[in-house]
């Protein structure tokens, strides 16, 4: 049941982020997807993967260790993505 809730939150969050970034500039897309990775993908995806791994290995500590590796990795990926969007310069097309 809990895994289903986490997967539902993941799917709804990805659909929401996709809707927010559709038709926007690259700068806005980086910011939206970076925030989505930090707030939705990092915690929920790392939790689902680590719980499934812990169940398959029948060892809870292995799941906790995997979560301790996955969450900071995805968080840093999201932070870098968001910062790319924040500091990205808008391209100006100066054709005369």
């Amino acid at each position: 049941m809990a895994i289903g809730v986490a997967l539902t939150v993941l799917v709804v969050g990805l659909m929401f982020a996709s809707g927010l970034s559709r038709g926007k500039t690259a700068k806005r897309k980086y910011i939206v997807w970076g925030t989505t990775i930090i707030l939705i993908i990092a915690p929920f995806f790392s939790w689902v993967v680590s719980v499934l791994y812990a169940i398959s290995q029948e060892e809870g500590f292995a799941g906790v260790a995997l979560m301790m590796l996955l969450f900071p990795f995805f968080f840093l990926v999201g932070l870098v993505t968001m910062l790319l969007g924040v500091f990205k310069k808008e391209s100006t097309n100066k054709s005369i």
Side-chain angles (χ1 to χ4, degrees):
M1 178 69 182
I3 294 173
V5 171
L7 289 175
T8 303
V9 170
L10 270 170
V11 169
V12 169
L14 290 174
M15 289 172 27
F16 183 70
S18 176
L20 278 178
S21 65
R22 184 165 300 157
K24 305 293 183 190
T25 62
K27 180 176 178 147
R28 171 77 182 239
K29 286 182 182 182
Y30 279 126
I31 293 172
V32 167
W33 281 105
T35 306
T36 303
I37 292 170
I38 290 172
L39 296 177
I40 296 173
I41 295 174
F44 290 105
F45 183 74
S46 65
W47 184 81
V48 167
V49 169
S50 63
V51 165
L52 290 175
Y53 182 74
I55 290 171
S56 72
Q57 296 298 312
E58 298 177 356
E59 182 62 44
F61 289 113
V64 172
L66 185 61
M67 189 184 306
M68 288 173 51
L69 293 173
L70 287 178
F71 182 76
F73 174 73
F74 284 119
F75 186 86
L76 289 176
V77 168
L79 186 65
V80 168
T81 305
M82 186 176 67
L83 289 176
L84 279 173
V86 169
F87 294 115
K88 183 175 179 66
K89 296 198 190 291
E90 291 289 332
S91 62
T92 56
N93 191 2
K94 294 186 177 185
S95 61
I96 297 175

